[in-house]
Coordinates of all heavy atoms in Angstrom, one line a residue:
P194 N -13.3 -5.8 -0.2 CA -13.3 -6.8 0.9 C -12.8 -6.5 2.2 O -13.3 -7.0 3.2 CB -12.4 -7.9 0.2 CG -12.3 -7.6 -1.2 CD -12.5 -6.1 -1.3
V195 N -11.8 -5.6 2.3 CA -11.3 -5.1 3.5 C -12.3 -4.4 4.3 O -12.6 -4.6 5.4 CB -10.0 -4.3 3.3 CG1 -9.4 -3.7 4.6 CG2 -9.0 -5.0 2.5
L196 N -12.9 -3.4 3.6 CA -13.9 -2.5 4.2 C -15.1 -3.3 4.6 O -15.6 -3.1 5.8 CB -14.3 -1.4 3.3 CG -13.3 -0.5 2.9 CD1 -13.7 0.6 1.9 CD2 -12.8 0.4 4.3
A197 N -15.5 -4.3 3.9 CA -16.7 -5.2 4.3 C -16.4 -5.9 5.5 O -17.2 -6.1 6.4 CB -17.1 -6.1 3.2
A198 N -15.2 -6.4 5.7 CA -14.8 -7.2 6.8 C -14.7 -6.3 8.1 O -15.2 -6.7 9.2 CB -13.4 -7.9 6.6
V199 N -14.2 -5.1 7.9 CA -14.2 -4.2 9.0 C -15.5 -3.7 9.4 O -15.9 -3.6 10.6 CB -13.2 -3.0 8.8 CG1 -13.3 -1.9 9.8 CG2 -11.8 -3.5 8.6
E200 N -16.4 -3.3 8.5 CA -17.7 -2.9 8.8 C -18.5 -4.1 9.4 O -19.5 -3.7 10.3 CB -18.4 -2.4 7.5 CG -17.9 -1.2 7.0 CD -18.3 -0.8 5.6 OE1 -19.1 -1.6 5.0 OE2 -17.9 0.4 5.1
A201 N -18.3 -5.4 9.1 CA -19.1 -6.4 9.7 C -18.8 -6.5 11.2 O -19.5 -7.1 11.9 CB -18.7 -7.8 9.0
L202 N -17.6 -5.9 11.6 CA -17.3 -6.0 13.1 C -18.2 -5.1 13.8 O -18.3 -5.1 15.1 CB -15.8 -5.6 13.3 CG -14.8 -6.5 12.7 CD1 -13.3 -6.0 12.9 CD2 -14.9 -7.9 13.4
E203 N -18.9 -4.1 13.1 CA -19.8 -3.2 13.8 C -19.1 -2.3 15.0 O -19.8 -2.2 16.0 CB -21.1 -3.9 14.2 CG -21.9 -4.4 13.0 CD -23.1 -5.1 13.4 OE1 -23.3 -5.4 14.6 OE2 -23.9 -5.4 12.5
L204 N -17.9 -2.0 14.7 CA -17.2 -1.2 15.8 C -17.6 0.3 15.7 O -17.9 0.8 14.6 CB -15.8 -1.3 15.7 CG -15.2 -2.8 15.8 CD1 -13.8 -2.9 15.5 CD2 -15.5 -3.3 17.2
P205 N -17.5 1.1 16.8 CA -17.8 2.5 16.7 C -16.6 3.2 15.9 O -15.5 2.7 15.9 CB -17.8 2.9 18.1 CG -17.1 1.9 18.9 CD -17.3 0.6 18.2
A206 N -17.0 4.2 15.2 CA -16.0 5.0 14.5 C -14.9 5.6 15.5 O -15.4 6.0 16.5 CB -16.6 6.1 13.6
L207 N -13.7 5.8 15.1 CA -12.7 6.3 15.9 C -12.4 7.7 15.4 O -12.5 8.0 14.1 CB -11.3 5.5 15.8 CG -11.4 4.0 16.4 CD1 -10.1 3.4 16.1 CD2 -11.7 4.1 17.9
A208 N -12.0 8.5 16.2 CA -11.5 9.9 15.8 C -10.2 9.8 14.9 O -9.4 8.9 15.2 CB -11.4 10.8 16.9
E209 N -10.0 10.6 14.0 CA -8.8 10.6 13.2 C -7.7 11.0 14.2 O -7.8 11.9 15.0 CB -8.8 11.5 12.1 CG -7.7 11.4 11.2 CD -7.7 12.2 9.9 OE1 -8.8 12.3 9.3 OE2 -6.7 12.8 9.4
P210 N -6.6 10.1 14.2 CA -5.5 10.4 15.2 C -4.8 11.7 14.9 O -4.8 12.2 13.7 CB -4.6 9.2 14.9 CG -5.0 8.7 13.5 CD -6.3 9.0 13.3
A211 N -4.2 12.2 15.9 CA -3.3 13.4 15.7 C -2.2 13.1 14.8 O -1.8 11.9 14.6 CB -2.9 14.0 17.0
A212 N -1.6 14.2 14.2 CA -0.5 13.9 13.3 C 0.7 13.1 14.1 O 0.8 13.4 15.3 CB 0.1 15.3 12.9
W213 N 1.2 12.3 13.3 CA 2.3 11.4 13.9 C 3.5 12.2 14.1 O 4.1 12.7 13.1 CB 2.5 10.1 13.0 CG 3.5 9.2 13.6 CD1 3.4 8.6 14.8 CD2 4.6 8.6 12.8 NE1 4.5 7.7 14.9 CE2 5.1 7.7 13.7 CE3 5.1 8.8 11.5 CZ2 6.3 7.0 13.3 CZ3 6.1 8.0 11.2 CH2 6.8 7.1 12.1
A214 N 4.1 12.4 15.3 CA 5.3 13.2 15.5 C 6.1 12.4 16.6 O 6.2 12.8 17.8 CB 4.9 14.5 16.0
P215 N 6.9 11.4 16.2 CA 7.7 10.7 17.1 C 8.8 11.6 17.6 O 9.4 12.3 16.9 CB 8.2 9.5 16.4 CG 8.0 9.8 14.9 CD 6.9 10.8 14.8
E216 N 9.0 11.5 19.0 CA 9.9 12.4 19.5 C 11.4 12.1 19.0 O 11.7 11.0 19.0 CB 9.8 12.2 21.1 CG 10.6 13.2 21.9 CD 10.5 13.1 23.4 OE1 9.3 12.8 23.8 OE2 11.5 13.2 24.2
G217 N 12.1 13.2 18.8 CA 13.5 13.0 18.3 C 13.7 12.5 17.0 O 14.9 12.2 16.5
I218 N 12.6 12.5 16.2 CA 12.7 11.9 14.9 C 12.6 13.1 13.8 O 11.6 13.7 13.9 CB 11.7 10.8 14.5 CG1 11.9 9.6 15.5 CG2 11.9 10.3 13.1 CD1 13.1 8.9 15.4
E219 N 13.4 13.3 12.8 CA 13.2 14.2 11.9 C 13.0 13.5 10.5 O 13.7 12.5 10.3 CB 14.4 15.2 11.7 CG 14.7 16.1 12.9 CD 13.5 17.1 12.9 OE1 13.1 17.6 12.0 OE2 13.0 17.3 14.1
P220 N 12.1 13.9 9.7 CA 11.8 13.3 8.5 C 13.0 13.3 7.5 O 13.7 14.3 7.4 CB 10.6 14.0 7.8 CG 10.6 15.3 8.5 CD 11.2 15.2 9.9
R221 N 13.2 12.1 6.9 CA 14.3 12.0 5.8 C 13.8 11.2 4.7 O 13.8 10.0 4.8 CB 15.6 11.4 6.5 CG 16.7 11.3 5.5 CD 18.0 10.7 6.1 NE 17.7 9.4 6.9 CZ 17.7 8.1 6.5 NH1 17.7 8.0 5.2 NH2 17.4 7.2 7.3
P222 N 13.4 11.9 3.6 CA 12.8 11.1 2.4 C 13.8 10.2 1.8 O 15.0 10.4 1.8 CB 12.5 12.2 1.5 CG 12.4 13.5 2.3 CD 13.3 13.3 3.4
S223 N 13.3 9.1 1.5 CA 14.2 8.0 0.8 C 14.3 8.4 -0.6 O 13.4 9.0 -1.3 CB 13.5 6.7 0.9 OG 14.1 5.7 0.0
K224 N 15.5 8.1 -1.2 CA 15.7 8.3 -2.7 C 14.8 7.6 -3.5 O 14.4 7.9 -4.7 CB 17.2 8.1 -3.0 CG 18.1 9.1 -2.4 CD 19.5 8.7 -2.9 CE 20.6 9.7 -2.5 NZ 20.4 10.5 -1.4
R225 N 14.2 6.5 -3.0 CA 13.4 5.6 -3.8 C 11.9 5.8 -3.3 O 11.0 5.0 -3.7 CB 13.7 4.2 -3.6 CG 13.8 3.6 -2.2 CD 14.3 2.3 -2.0 NE 14.4 1.8 -0.7 CZ 13.4 1.3 0.0 NH1 12.3 1.1 -0.4 NH2 13.5 1.1 1.4
A226 N 11.6 7.0 -2.7 CA 10.3 7.1 -2.1 C 9.3 7.5 -3.3 O 9.7 8.0 -4.3 CB 10.3 8.3 -1.2
F227 N 8.1 6.9 -3.1 CA 7.0 7.1 -4.2 C 6.3 8.5 -3.8 O 5.7 8.6 -2.8 CB 6.0 6.0 -4.0 CG 5.3 5.6 -5.2 CD1 6.0 5.1 -6.3 CD2 4.0 5.9 -5.4 CE1 5.4 4.7 -7.5 CE2 3.3 5.6 -6.5 CZ 4.0 5.0 -7.5
T228 N 6.5 9.4 -4.7 CA 5.9 10.8 -4.5 C 4.5 10.9 -5.2 O 4.3 10.2 -6.2 CB 6.9 11.8 -4.9 OG1 7.0 11.7 -6.4 CG2 8.2 11.7 -4.3
P229 N 3.8 11.8 -4.8 CA 2.5 12.1 -5.6 C 2.7 12.4 -7.0 O 2.0 12.0 -7.9 CB 1.9 13.3 -4.8 CG 2.4 13.3 -3.4 CD 3.8 12.7 -3.5
A230 N 3.8 13.1 -7.4 CA 4.2 13.4 -8.7 C 4.5 12.2 -9.6 O 4.2 12.1 -10.8 CB 5.3 14.3 -8.8
S231 N 5.0 11.2 -9.0 CA 5.4 9.9 -9.7 C 4.2 8.9 -9.7 O 4.2 7.9 -10.5 CB 6.6 9.3 -9.0 OG 6.4 8.8 -7.8
F232 N 3.1 9.2 -8.9 CA 2.1 8.2 -8.8 C 1.3 7.9 -10.1 O 1.2 6.8 -10.5 CB 1.1 8.6 -7.8 CG 0.1 7.7 -7.4 CD1 0.4 6.8 -6.2 CD2 -1.1 7.4 -8.0 CE1 -0.6 5.8 -5.9 CE2 -2.0 6.5 -7.7 CZ -1.8 5.7 -6.6
I233 N 0.9 8.9 -10.8 CA 0.0 8.8 -12.0 C 0.9 8.2 -13.1 O 0.4 7.2 -13.8 CB -0.7 10.2 -12.3 CG1 -1.7 10.5 -11.4 CG2 -1.2 10.1 -13.8 CD1 -2.3 11.9 -11.6
P234 N 2.0 8.6 -13.4 CA 2.8 7.9 -14.5 C 3.1 6.5 -14.3 O 3.1 5.7 -15.2 CB 4.0 8.9 -14.7 CG 4.0 9.9 -13.7 CD 2.7 9.9 -13.0
Y235 N 3.4 6.3 -13.0 CA 3.7 4.9 -12.7 C 2.6 3.9 -12.8 O 2.7 2.9 -13.5 CB 4.2 4.8 -11.2 CG 4.6 3.4 -10.7 CD1 5.8 3.0 -10.9 CD2 3.7 2.7 -9.9 CE1 6.2 1.6 -10.4 CE2 4.0 1.5 -9.4 CZ 5.3 1.0 -9.7 OH 5.5 -0.3 -9.3
F236 N 1.4 4.4 -12.3 CA 0.3 3.4 -12.4 C -0.4 3.5 -13.8 O -1.0 2.5 -14.2 CB -0.8 3.8 -11.2 CG -0.3 3.0 -10.0 CD1 0.4 3.8 -9.1 CD2 -0.5 1.7 -9.8 CE1 0.8 3.1 -7.8 CE2 -0.1 1.1 -8.6 CZ 0.6 1.8 -7.7
R237 N -0.3 4.6 -14.5 CA -0.7 4.6 -15.9 C 0.1 3.6 -16.7 O -0.4 2.9 -17.5 CB -0.7 6.0 -16.5 CG -1.8 6.9 -16.2 CD -1.9 8.1 -17.0 NE -3.0 9.0 -16.7 CZ -2.9 10.2 -16.6 NH1 -1.8 10.8 -17.1 NH2 -3.9 10.9 -16.2
A238 N 1.3 3.6 -16.5 CA 2.3 2.7 -17.2 C 1.8 1.3 -16.9 O 1.7 0.4 -17.8 CB 3.8 2.9 -16.9
I239 N 1.6 1.0 -15.6 CA 1.2 -0.4 -15.4 C -0.2 -0.7 -16.0 O -0.3 -1.8 -16.6 CB 1.0 -0.6 -13.8 CG1 2.4 -0.5 -13.2 CG2 0.3 -1.9 -13.5 CD1 2.3 -0.6 -11.6
K240 N -1.1 0.2 -16.0 CA -2.4 0.0 -16.5 C -2.3 -0.2 -18.1 O -3.0 -1.3 -18.5 CB -3.2 1.3 -16.3 CG -4.7 1.1 -16.8 CD -5.5 2.4 -16.5 CE -6.9 2.2 -17.2 NZ -7.7 3.4 -17.0
F241 N -1.6 0.5 -18.8 CA -1.5 0.4 -20.2 C -0.7 -0.9 -20.7 O -1.0 -1.5 -21.6 CB -1.2 1.7 -20.9 CG -2.4 2.7 -20.8 CD1 -2.2 3.7 -19.9 CD2 -3.6 2.5 -21.3 CE1 -3.3 4.7 -19.9 CE2 -4.6 3.3 -21.3 CZ -4.5 4.4 -20.5
N242 N 0.4 -1.0 -19.9 CA 1.2 -2.2 -20.3 C 0.5 -3.5 -20.0 O 0.6 -4.4 -20.8 CB 2.5 -2.2 -19.4 CG 3.5 -1.1 -19.9 OD1 3.5 -0.8 -21.1 ND2 4.4 -0.8 -19.1
T243 N -0.3 -3.6 -18.9 CA -1.0 -4.8 -18.6 C -2.2 -5.0 -19.7 O -2.5 -6.1 -20.0 CB -1.6 -4.9 -17.2 OG1 -2.3 -3.7 -16.9 CG2 -0.4 -5.0 -16.2
M244 N -2.7 -4.0 -20.1 CA -3.8 -4.0 -21.1 C -3.2 -4.7 -22.4 O -3.7 -5.7 -23.0 CB -4.3 -2.7 -21.6 CG -5.3 -2.2 -20.5 SD -5.8 -0.4 -20.8 CE -6.4 -0.4 -22.5
A245 N -2.0 -4.2 -22.7 CA -1.4 -4.7 -23.9 C -0.9 -6.2 -23.7 O -1.1 -7.2 -24.5 CB -0.1 -3.9 -24.3
L246 N -0.3 -6.5 -22.6 CA 0.1 -7.8 -22.3 C -1.1 -8.9 -22.2 O -0.9 -10.0 -22.6 CB 0.8 -7.9 -20.9 CG 2.3 -7.3 -21.0 CD1 2.8 -7.2 -19.6 CD2 3.2 -8.1 -21.9
A247 N -2.2 -8.4 -21.7 CA -3.4 -9.4 -21.6 C -3.7 -9.8 -23.0 O -4.1 -11.1 -23.2 CB -4.5 -8.7 -21.0
E248 N -3.6 -9.0 -24.0 CA -3.9 -9.5 -25.4 C -2.9 -10.4 -25.9 O -3.2 -11.2 -26.9 CB -4.0 -8.3 -26.3 CG -5.1 -7.3 -25.9 CD -6.4 -7.9 -25.8 OE1 -6.8 -8.7 -26.7 OE2 -7.1 -7.7 -24.9
R249 N -1.7 -10.5 -25.4 CA -0.6 -11.4 -25.9 C -0.8 -12.7 -25.2 O -0.3 -13.7 -25.8 CB 0.7 -10.8 -25.7 CG 1.1 -9.5 -26.3 CD 2.5 -9.2 -26.1 NE 2.7 -7.9 -26.4 CZ 3.8 -7.2 -26.0 NH1 4.9 -7.8 -25.3 NH2 4.1 -6.0 -26.3
M250 N -1.3 -12.8 -24.1 CA -1.3 -14.0 -23.3 C -2.2 -15.1 -23.9 O -3.4 -14.9 -24.4 CB -1.9 -13.7 -21.8 CG -1.0 -12.8 -21.0 SD 0.6 -13.4 -20.6 CE 1.6 -12.2 -21.4
R251 N -1.7 -16.3 -24.0 CA -2.4 -17.4 -24.6 C -3.0 -18.2 -23.5 O -4.1 -18.7 -23.7 CB -1.5 -18.3 -25.5 CG -0.8 -17.6 -26.6 CD -1.8 -17.3 -27.7 NE -1.2 -16.4 -28.8 CZ -1.6 -15.3 -29.1 NH1 -2.6 -14.7 -28.4 NH2 -1.1 -14.6 -30.1
D252 N -2.5 -18.3 -22.5 CA -2.9 -19.1 -21.2 C -4.0 -18.3 -20.5 O -3.6 -17.1 -20.1 CB -1.9 -19.4 -20.4 CG -2.3 -20.3 -19.2 OD1 -2.4 -21.5 -19.3 OD2 -2.4 -19.6 -18.1
E253 N -5.1 -18.8 -20.3 CA -6.2 -18.1 -19.6 C -5.8 -17.7 -18.2 O -6.1 -16.6 -17.7 CB -7.5 -18.8 -19.6 CG -8.7 -18.0 -19.0 CD -8.9 -16.6 -19.8 OE1 -8.7 -16.6 -21.0 OE2 -9.2 -15.7 -19.1
G254 N -5.0 -18.5 -17.4 CA -4.5 -18.2 -16.2 C -3.6 -17.0 -16.1 O -3.8 -16.1 -15.3
D255 N -2.7 -16.9 -17.1 CA -1.8 -15.7 -17.3 C -2.6 -14.5 -17.6 O -2.3 -13.5 -17.1 CB -0.8 -16.0 -18.3 CG 0.3 -17.1 -17.9 OD1 0.4 -17.4 -16.7 OD2 0.9 -17.7 -18.8
R256 N -3.6 -14.7 -18.5 CA -4.5 -13.5 -18.9 C -5.2 -13.0 -17.6 O -5.2 -11.8 -17.4 CB -5.4 -13.9 -20.1 CG -6.1 -12.8 -20.6 CD -7.0 -13.1 -21.8 NE -6.3 -13.7 -22.8 CZ -6.4 -14.9 -23.4 NH1 -7.2 -15.7 -22.9 NH2 -5.6 -15.4 -24.4
H257 N -5.6 -13.8 -16.8 CA -6.3 -13.5 -15.6 C -5.4 -12.6 -14.6 O -5.8 -11.6 -14.1 CB -6.9 -14.7 -14.8 CG -7.5 -14.3 -13.6 ND1 -8.7 -13.7 -13.4 CD2 -7.0 -14.5 -12.3 CE1 -9.0 -13.5 -12.1 NE2 -8.0 -14.0 -11.5
E258 N -4.1 -13.1 -14.5 CA -3.2 -12.5 -13.7 C -2.9 -11.1 -14.1 O -2.8 -10.1 -13.3 CB -1.9 -13.3 -13.6 CG -2.0 -14.6 -12.8 CD -2.2 -14.4 -11.4 OE1 -1.7 -13.4 -10.8 OE2 -3.0 -15.2 -10.8
V259 N -2.7 -10.9 -15.4 CA -2.4 -9.6 -16.0 C -3.6 -8.7 -15.9 O -3.5 -7.6 -15.5 CB -2.0 -9.8 -17.5 CG1 -1.8 -8.4 -18.1 CG2 -0.6 -10.5 -17.5
R260 N -4.8 -9.3 -16.1 CA -6.0 -8.4 -15.9 C -6.3 -8.0 -14.5 O -6.7 -6.8 -14.2 CB -7.3 -9.1 -16.4 CG -7.2 -9.2 -18.0 CD -8.4 -9.8 -18.5 NE -8.4 -9.7 -20.0 CZ -8.9 -10.7 -20.8 NH1 -9.5 -11.8 -20.3 NH2 -8.8 -10.5 -22.0
T261 N -5.9 -8.9 -13.6 CA -6.0 -8.5 -12.2 C -5.0 -7.4 -11.7 O -5.4 -6.4 -11.1 CB -5.7 -9.7 -11.3 OG1 -6.6 -10.8 -11.5 CG2 -5.7 -9.4 -9.7
E262 N -3.8 -7.4 -12.4 CA -2.9 -6.4 -12.1 C -3.4 -5.1 -12.7 O -3.2 -4.0 -12.2 CB -1.5 -6.8 -12.7 CG -0.5 -5.8 -12.4 CD 0.3 -6.0 -11.0 OE1 -0.2 -7.0 -10.3 OE2 1.1 -5.3 -10.6
N263 N -4.0 -5.1 -13.9 CA -4.6 -4.0 -14.5 C -5.7 -3.3 -13.7 O -5.8 -2.2 -13.5 CB -5.1 -4.4 -15.9 CG -5.8 -3.2 -16.6 OD1 -6.9 -2.9 -16.5 ND2 -4.9 -2.6 -17.4
A264 N -6.6 -4.2 -13.1 CA -7.6 -3.7 -12.2 C -7.1 -3.0 -11.0 O -7.7 -1.9 -10.5 CB -8.6 -4.9 -11.9
M265 N -6.0 -3.5 -10.5 CA -5.4 -3.0 -9.3 C -4.9 -1.6 -9.6 O -5.1 -0.6 -8.9 CB -4.3 -3.9 -8.8 CG -3.6 -3.3 -7.5 SD -2.1 -2.2 -7.7 CE -1.1 -3.1 -8.9
A266 N -4.3 -1.4 -10.8 CA -3.7 0.0 -11.2 C -4.8 0.9 -11.5 O -4.7 2.0 -11.1 CB -2.8 -0.3 -12.4
S267 N -5.9 0.5 -12.1 CA -7.0 1.3 -12.3 C -7.7 1.8 -11.0 O -8.0 2.9 -10.8 CB -8.0 0.6 -13.1 OG -7.6 0.3 -14.5
S268 N -7.7 0.9 -10.1 CA -8.3 1.2 -8.7 C -7.5 2.2 -8.0 O -7.9 3.1 -7.4 CB -8.5 -0.1 -7.8 OG -8.8 0.2 -6.6
F269 N -6.1 2.0 -8.1 CA -5.3 3.0 -7.4 C -5.4 4.4 -8.0 O -5.3 5.4 -7.4 CB -3.7 2.5 -7.5 CG -3.3 1.6 -6.4 CD1 -4.1 0.7 -5.9 CD2 -2.0 1.8 -5.9 CE1 -3.7 -0.1 -4.9 CE2 -1.5 1.0 -4.9 CZ -2.4 0.0 -4.4
L270 N -5.5 4.4 -9.4 CA -5.6 5.7 -10.1 C -6.9 6.4 -9.6 O -6.9 7.6 -9.4 CB -5.6 5.5 -11.6 CG -4.2 5.3 -12.2 CD1 -4.3 4.7 -13.5 CD2 -3.3 6.4 -12.1
D271 N -7.9 5.6 -9.5 CA -9.3 6.2 -9.1 C -9.1 6.7 -7.7 O -9.6 7.8 -7.3 CB -10.4 5.1 -9.2 CG -10.7 4.7 -10.6 OD1 -10.4 5.6 -11.6 OD2 -11.4 3.7 -10.8
A272 N -8.5 5.9 -6.8 CA -8.4 6.3 -5.3 C -7.6 7.6 -5.3 O -7.7 8.4 -4.5 CB -7.8 5.2 -4.6
F273 N -6.5 7.7 -6.2 CA -5.6 8.8 -6.1 C -6.3 10.1 -6.5 O -6.1 11.1 -6.0 CB -4.4 8.6 -7.0 CG -3.3 9.7 -6.9 CD1 -2.7 9.9 -5.7 CD2 -3.1 10.5 -8.0 CE1 -1.7 10.9 -5.7 CE2 -2.1 11.4 -7.9 CZ -1.5 11.7 -6.6
D274 N -7.4 10.0 -7.4 CA -8.1 11.2 -7.8 C -8.8 11.7 -6.5 O -8.8 13.0 -6.2 CB -9.1 10.8 -8.7 CG -8.6 10.6 -10.1 OD1 -7.5 11.1 -10.4 OD2 -9.3 10.0 -11.0
G275 N -9.4 10.9 -5.6 CA -10.0 11.3 -4.4 C -9.0 11.8 -3.4 O -9.2 12.8 -2.7
W276 N -7.8 11.2 -3.4 CA -6.7 11.7 -2.5 C -6.4 13.1 -2.9 O -6.2 14.0 -2.1 CB -5.5 10.8 -2.5 CG -4.4 11.2 -1.6 CD1 -4.3 10.8 -0.3 CD2 -3.3 12.0 -1.9 NE1 -3.2 11.3 0.3 CE2 -2.5 12.1 -0.6 CE3 -2.9 12.8 -2.9 CZ2 -1.4 12.9 -0.5 CZ3 -1.8 13.6 -2.8 CH2 -1.0 13.6 -1.7
R277 N -6.2 13.4 -4.1 CA -5.7 14.7 -4.6 C -6.7 15.8 -4.3 O -6.4 16.9 -4.0 CB -5.5 14.6 -6.1 CG -4.2 14.0 -6.5 CD -3.8 14.3 -7.9 NE -4.9 13.8 -8.8 CZ -4.8 14.0 -10.1 NH1 -3.8 14.5 -10.7 NH2 -5.8 13.6 -10.8
A278 N -8.1 15.4 -4.4 CA -9.2 16.3 -3.9 C -9.0 16.7 -2.6 O -9.4 17.8 -2.2 CB -10.5 15.6 -4.4
E279 N -8.6 15.8 -1.7 CA -8.5 16.1 -0.3 C -7.2 16.7 0.1 O -7.1 17.3 1.2 CB -8.6 14.8 0.5 CG -10.0 14.1 0.4 CD -10.0 12.8 1.2 OE1 -9.1 12.5 1.9 OE2 -11.0 12.0 0.9
H280 N -6.2 16.7 -0.8 CA -4.9 17.1 -0.5 C -4.4 18.0 -1.6 O -3.6 17.5 -2.5 CB -3.8 16.0 -0.2 CG -4.3 15.1 0.9 ND1 -5.1 14.1 0.8 CD2 -4.1 15.3 2.3 CE1 -5.3 13.4 1.9 NE2 -4.7 14.3 2.9
P281 N -4.8 19.3 -1.7 CA -4.4 20.1 -2.8 C -2.8 20.2 -2.9 O -2.1 19.9 -2.0 CB -4.9 21.4 -2.4 CG -6.0 21.2 -1.5 CD -5.5 19.9 -0.8

Side-chain angles (χ1 to χ4, degrees):
V195 179
L196 295 173
V199 172
E200 288 171 358
L202 295 173
E203 297 181 343
L204 299 171
L207 297 174
E209 188 170 321
W213 185 51
E216 191 173 319
I218 304 290
E219 290 298 321
R221 182 179 45 85
S223 167
K224 288 181 176 26
R225 56 188 176 84
F227 207 70
T228 64
S231 64
F232 191 93
I233 290 175
Y235 178 83
F236 281 98
R237 275 191 185 149
I239 292 172
K240 180 179 175 179
F241 290 108
N242 286 336
T243 54
M244 283 172 54
L246 286 172
E248 297 304 315
R249 294 185 201 169
M250 299 291 117
R251 299 289 177 242
D252 179 84
E253 190 54 42
D255 291 341
R256 190 175 297 119
H257 174 75
E258 290 294 323
V259 173
R260 287 182 176 147
T261 299
E262 189 83 3
N263 180 275
M265 183 271 308
S267 294
S268 176
F269 272 39
L270 287 166
D271 292 344
F273 187 61
D274 286 341
W276 183 89
R277 284 191 307 178
E279 293 175 15
H280 302 90

